[in-house]
Amino acid sequence: MQVLPTHNGANTKECLPLGKLIVLTGPSGVGKGTLMNEILRRYPELHYSVSATTRSPRPGEINGKNYHFISRSQFEQLVTQGEFLEWAEFAGNCYGTPREAVLNHVQAGKLVVLEIELAGARQIRHTFPSALSIFILPPSFAELEKRIRGRGQDAEEAISLRLQRAEEEIVAANEFDIKIINDDFEQAVKEIEKAIFE
Ligand SMILES: Nc1nc2c(ncn2[C@@H]2O[C@H](COP(=O)(O)OP(=O)(O)O)[C@@H](O)[C@H]2O)c(=O)[nH]1
Ligand SMILES: Nc1ncnc2c1ncn2[C@@H]1O[C@H](COP(=O)(O)OP(=O)(O)O)[C@@H](O)[C@H]1O
């Protein structure tokens, strides 16, 4: 059971029978997206929240599936209208979770998964203390760098911003309910399954 906050941040008095909010966080390049895709492939009943971002699409990314790719002025307008459950700036771009879609799915009893960075994950933990939060760690910083570079999708500037931010993110791991080291991929998937379903 979760209590839905109203727009002014106060909690509604009633306890609504709701689904569950799951937050997956951790540094860029640790494998969050790859783990999430595998979890969604295995459990299509989960609802993945598609974020809005001002970042340009990477080759192969699909608008509406990976992200809603929007301009900075559109993003700012949505912030002003209170359309985001949380939002944050990361490595020079803005990212936000659409409020209505997520709340509708939670209210419909779904398991809703957000894959977001540290500041957003903290906001969600604050707004929904009953959300399940999972922090994904790399086996080492060197391996994290290898993965970000190996992905081959970011410019050098974007890579160094992500690595810089990763150092700050990793020290926050203990704030979250569950920590999982993504070393052996299958093992990490199993640990996420256990966290979500047990
Ligand atoms: N706060 C917040 N972070 C998000 C959201 N969507 C994605 N992110 C995070 O933004 C960071 C950058 O995402 P992206 O540019 O796709 O890079 P990548 O993580 O290196 O693949 C990642 O940590 C994402 O988890 C969102 O809606 N809100
Ligand atoms: N357990 C793992 N071992 C080795 N490489 C991995 C593992 N998990 C993910 N990767 C690779 O690491 C890179 C970054 O993964 P990605 O899912 O894009 O990270 P994130 O979404 O956290 O930025 C990808 O090339 C992915 O294939």
Side-chain angles (χ1 to χ4, degrees), residues 2-161:
Q2 290 180 332
V3 181
L4 269 188
T6 59
H7 286 265
N8 64 11
N11 285 334
T12 52
K13 294 214 173 70
E14 268 176 290
C15 237
L16 302 165
L18 299 172
K20 194 153 125 187
L21 203 51
I22 298 152
V23 178
L24 197 65
T25 192
S28 175
V30 75
K32 300 184 297 299
T34 315
L35 289 164
M36 203 57 257
N37 284 342
E38 182 56 21
I39 295 285
L40 292 170
R41 193 185 67 76
R42 293 186 190 188
Y43 304 96
E45 70 271 25
L46 293 183
H47 174 79
Y48 173 69
S49 163
V50 179
S51 297
T53 184
T54 62
R55 168 166 79 61
S56 307
R58 290 173 177 147
E61 282 186 328
I62 298 166
N63 191 22
K65 179 172 183 277
N66 302 95
Y67 283 106
H68 301 288
F69 295 99
I70 61 176
S71 68
R72 194 167 267 262
S73 64
Q74 284 173 306
F75 195 95
E76 283 166 4
Q77 197 179 351
L78 293 172
V79 170
T80 311
Q81 292 168 349
E83 297 284 346
F84 292 126
L85 207 52
E86 62 72 35
W87 69 274
E89 190 144 6
F90 181 95
N93 288 296
C94 296
Y95 298 81
T97 302
R99 174 188 293 276
E100 203 180 323
V102 168
L103 295 186
N104 284 345
H105 281 93
V106 174
Q107 274 173 331
K110 289 245 178 192
L111 292 179
V112 179
V113 188
L114 313 182
E115 191 240 283
I116 59 180
E117 54 67 67
L118 178 63
R122 282 177 169 153
Q123 288 177 57
I124 294 291
R125 275 178 63 77
H126 179 74
T127 316
F128 296 96
S130 59
L132 171 71
S133 59
I134 304 173
F135 195 101
I136 309 293
L137 283 159
S140 67
F141 200 81
E143 172 64 18
L144 181 72
E145 180 163 0
K146 200 170 134 199
R147 287 185 194 171
I148 295 184
R149 292 190 182 283
R151 193 166 62 183
Q153 290 201 312
D154 299 298
E156 186 54 39
E157 195 198 349
I159 291 175
S160 57
L161 282 172

